[in-house]
């Protein structure tokens, strides 16, 4: 019985998307950027760029719970059928629940340090240098 339970848990973990390290998701999906990010950005670019408060206005919490469950169960999700605020909210939720932020805990103090510099013209160069120190999967996602 113990082996069966262990295998069942592995299968459940394999499909889960939210709260899973970014590197694990991109390896599992075989893509440089997770599908949820690509799909959400595509919908935001197609339908949301002129929407007021697109990232400020919260999505429908009940709908977000359904979408999250669908993603975590490995089901196909068609974001083109969702309200654009819900698309933005599910994208924000995905990023918020990453165990390691895109800019990583290790690199965060350095990004804050650059933000506090008074030499505005030098900041882009420093940010580019810092981005080169990020894990590849974070860098590829930021470029998206």
């Amino acid at each position: 019985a113990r082996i069966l339970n262990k295998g069942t848990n592995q299968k459940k973990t394999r499909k889960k998307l939210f709260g899973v390290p970014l590197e694990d998701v991109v390896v599992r999906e075989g893509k440089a950027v997770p599908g949820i990010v690509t799909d959400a950005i595509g919908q935001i670019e197609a339908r949301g760029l002129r929407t007021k408060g697109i990232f400020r206005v919260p999505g429908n919490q009940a709908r977000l719970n359904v979408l999250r469950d669908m993603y975590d169960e490995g089901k196909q999700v068609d974001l083109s059928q969702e309200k654009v605020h819900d698309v933005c909210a599910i994208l924000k939720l995905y990023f918020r629940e990453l165990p390691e932020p895109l800019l990583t805990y290790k690199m965060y103090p350095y990004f804050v340090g650059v933000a506090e510099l008074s030499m505005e013209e030098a900041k882009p160069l420093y940010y580019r240098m810092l981005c080169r120190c990020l894990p590849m999967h974070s860098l590829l996602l930021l470029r998206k």
Side-chain angles (χ1 to χ4, degrees), residues 39-52 54 78-88:
D39 294 347
I41 290 173
Q43 288 303 312
I44 293 165
E45 288 175 341
R47 303 185 292 133
L49 294 181
R50 299 197 186 275
T51 303
K52 191 170 186 164
I54 189 166
D78 182 4
L79 292 179
S80 69
Q81 302 302 309
E82 305 298 331
K83 293 180 181 175
V84 74
H85 288 101
D86 292 342
V87 173
C88 291

Side-chain angles (χ1 to χ4, degrees), residues 39 67 70-71 73-79:
D39 294 347
L67 290 171
M70 288 175 68
Y71 275 113
E73 292 167 7
K75 295 180 180 175
Q76 289 291 327
V77 178
D78 182 4
L79 292 179

Side-chain angles (χ1 to χ4, degrees), residues 25-127:
V25 173
V26 297
V27 167
R28 181 177 65 214
E29 292 185 0
K31 301 176 183 176
V33 176
I36 187 174
V37 175
T38 304
D39 294 347
I41 290 173
Q43 288 303 312
I44 293 165
E45 288 175 341
R47 303 185 292 133
L49 294 181
R50 299 197 186 275
T51 303
K52 191 170 186 164
I54 189 166
F55 284 102
R56 183 181 43 82
V57 175
N60 178 298
Q61 190 60 50
R63 187 64 193 149
L64 291 178
N65 291 339
V66 169
L67 290 171
R68 179 190 173 154
D69 289 345
M70 288 175 68
Y71 275 113
D72 276 346
E73 292 167 7
K75 295 180 180 175
Q76 289 291 327
V77 178
D78 182 4
L79 292 179
S80 69
Q81 302 302 309
E82 305 298 331
K83 293 180 181 175
V84 74
H85 288 101
D86 292 342
V87 173
C88 291
I90 201 71
L91 182 62
K92 291 190 312 186
L93 180 63
Y94 175 73
F95 287 135
R96 188 169 45 250
E97 292 197 4
L98 285 172
E100 176 82 12
L102 290 178
L103 300 182
T104 74
Y105 291 117
K106 179 181 174 185
M107 296 300 297
Y108 179 77
Y110 299 104
F111 281 98
V112 171
V114 170
E116 293 172 347
L117 289 175
S118 59
M119 305 178 310
E120 292 297 321
E121 65 281 349
K123 286 182 181 182
L125 173 65
Y126 289 129
Y127 282 130

Side-chain angles (χ1 to χ4, degrees), residues 8-44:
T8 303
N9 289 340
Q10 287 175 344
K11 187 175 181 183
K12 185 175 182 180
T13 303
R14 196 184 115 254
K15 288 185 179 179
K16 191 170 174 171
L17 178 68
F18 287 83
V20 175
L22 179 60
E23 183 176 12
D24 293 353
V25 173
V26 297
V27 167
R28 181 177 65 214
E29 292 185 0
K31 301 176 183 176
V33 176
I36 187 174
V37 175
T38 304
D39 294 347
I41 290 173
Q43 288 303 312
I44 293 165

